[in-house]
Structure formats: structure tokens, C-alpha cells
Amino acid sequence: ITILCPSPVPPKSFPAMNVINSINKGGYGVIDVLRKGKVICVVLQKLTSFRNDDASTKKKGIVKTKNAKKPSIQQKSSLIDKESNNDDTLITGDEEILLLSLHMGMTGRISSPGNIPGLESLSDSDTYPPPHTHMILTRDDRDSGKVEAAFSDPRRFGSVSVHAMKNNDLAEGKDISDLIPAFEELADDALQASKTYCNQMVIIRKNCDDCE
């Protein structure tokens, strides 16, 4: 995928441009899209062809720009102050899996060229991308051509963040939903919580019947 950031005034919490550029150069594809409450997480995984290119380059002893020395703590703080208030400036594009989280807030929406959700707070418009579009995810598809989706929000209270999954988390086979930082601050989805509660009550009732 390729990430475009057309908005001159993005949300208050938004990835720095060096992070966006690293993702675009890293060769990632979308393997899943997860939701919890008002947060949508796009799970990105490095494509096999790009992994092979990295291995081949390192084998030849060629040093790529994206493999340069990571910034120091002081440099990192400076980057955050100048470009973003997200703690994601150490994203290099070498990570195996990245978590791109979009907090929709009260007025955020995801649109595509063929589907633009309406908002009561905005006048009807079928123009794509919608006004106040902060991020566009695009992908070239051999069969259907370009596929894309836009994240827009007329207010600046929403947020976009990027986090890398740790290799040991992948090796241990953990559920990705449990590893998304943007999900940690949210309560369980009401429908899912109700389902879990009902299942627990069935077990408790069954145990009580067995005791009788």
C-alpha cells in the first residue's frame, strides 16, 4: 500500500512524515482490519518480495538508507516536537508487522470512491475524497485497478498512530487484538461483552444444575 497525507492540518495526534515515508518504502500489504469501539486498526505486513530484497541487499553488503543508525533519544524527542506528538519516530520500515490505528472520534469516517458515508454535521456531498481528508490508503490491484480508502474528520480530536509488533509476540502466537495499544484504553465492545457474559452465565447455570 501507499499512504498519502493530503491535509495541511492533520489531527493533533498524527504520524510524522518520516514515519509515513518509511512505511511507503517498506513494502507493506494489508492483512487484516480490526475494530474496537471507535478505533479501526489496519494490520500491515511486509510483503515477501520486499523481505527477499532486504536479505539480498544485506548479503551483498550494501547499506540501505532505511537501515541507517536509529536516532538517539535526544534526536527522537526533537523529531516528535517538530513533526508529531506520536511516539512512533523510530519506525524504520524494516518491521515485519505494523499496526496503523485510526481513532474515528465523533465525526471520523472511512470513505471509498464508491461509498461516502453521510454525516449529519456536514452537508451532503458525493465528492471523493471528502473534505477534511487526512489520510488515503491506496493499493494497485491487477484486476480492479487502484483500490483506495480515505480517512476524514472535520474535527481534530481524532488521531492516527503507528506501532510495531514485537517479534516475540509473533513467535508466541498471541492474538493481535490484544497487542494493539490503541485498543487498551477502550472498554470491551458491548455486543462482544454481552456474548461473553451470556456464555459465562450458561456455564454457571449448568454447574448449578449438576450440583442438584
Side-chain angles (χ1 to χ4, degrees), residues 147-166:
V147 178
E148 61 181 68
F151 166 60
S152 59
D153 190 349
R155 306 171 71 186
R156 298 188 65 207
F157 297 114
S159 64
V160 178
S161 60
V162 183
H163 296 88
M165 282 188 61
K166 299 178 181 178

Side-chain angles (χ1 to χ4, degrees), residues 30-171:
V30 177
I31 61 170
D32 205 351
V33 178
L34 306 172
R35 183 193 68 83
K36 185 176 182 181
K38 297 179 180 179
V39 176
I40 294 176
C41 181
V42 181
V43 184
L44 306 175
Q45 184 173 36
K46 185 176 281 291
L47 300 177
T48 304
S49 58
F50 278 80
R51 279 200 299 269
N52 293 340
D53 288 345
D54 288 345
S56 175
T57 301
K58 292 175 182 178
K59 190 173 182 181
K60 294 178 181 178
I62 302 174
V63 179
K64 281 188 173 183
T65 303
K66 66 179 181 180
N67 290 329
K69 185 178 179 181
K70 293 181 178 180
S72 65
I73 295 177
Q74 291 80 5
Q75 290 173 319
K76 180 183 175 185
S77 299
S78 176
L79 286 170
I80 293 174
D81 291 338
K82 291 181 179 179
E83 300 184 50
S84 170
N85 59 357
N86 260 347
D87 188 16
D88 57 13
T89 51
L90 290 184
I91 298 294
T92 63
D94 292 325
E95 296 80 6
E96 177 67 18
I97 290 183
L98 294 176
L99 307 172
L100 176 65
S101 299
L102 311 173
H103 194 298
M104 308 304 289
M106 297 295 292
T107 54
R109 55 179 172 169
I110 301 293
S111 306
S112 65
N115 182 27
I116 305 175
L119 286 176
E120 292 183 3
S121 57
L122 294 176
S123 58
D124 292 337
S125 174
D126 57 358
T127 302
Y128 181 88
H132 312 288
T133 291
H134 304 302
M135 179 175 284
I136 300 176
L137 306 180
T138 69
R139 177 177 65 87
D140 290 327
D141 187 88
R142 293 181 179 178
D143 298 325
S144 56
K146 180 178 289 188
V147 178
E148 61 181 68
F151 166 60
S152 59
D153 190 349
R155 306 171 71 186
R156 298 188 65 207
F157 297 114
S159 64
V160 178
S161 60
V162 183
H163 296 88
M165 282 188 61
K166 299 178 181 178
N167 290 332
N168 57 330
D169 290 334
L170 297 173

Side-chain angles (χ1 to χ4, degrees), residues 204-212:
I204 293 174
R205 179 170 293 181
K206 184 177 184 302
N207 290 339
C208 291
D209 293 341
D210 292 341
C211 292
E212 295 178 357

Side-chain angles (χ1 to χ4, degrees), residues 177-194:
S177 297
D178 297 330
L179 302 172
I180 300 173
F183 283 5
E184 294 178 356
E185 301 177 356
L186 302 175
D188 292 336
D189 185 273
L191 292 176
Q192 184 61 38
S194 298

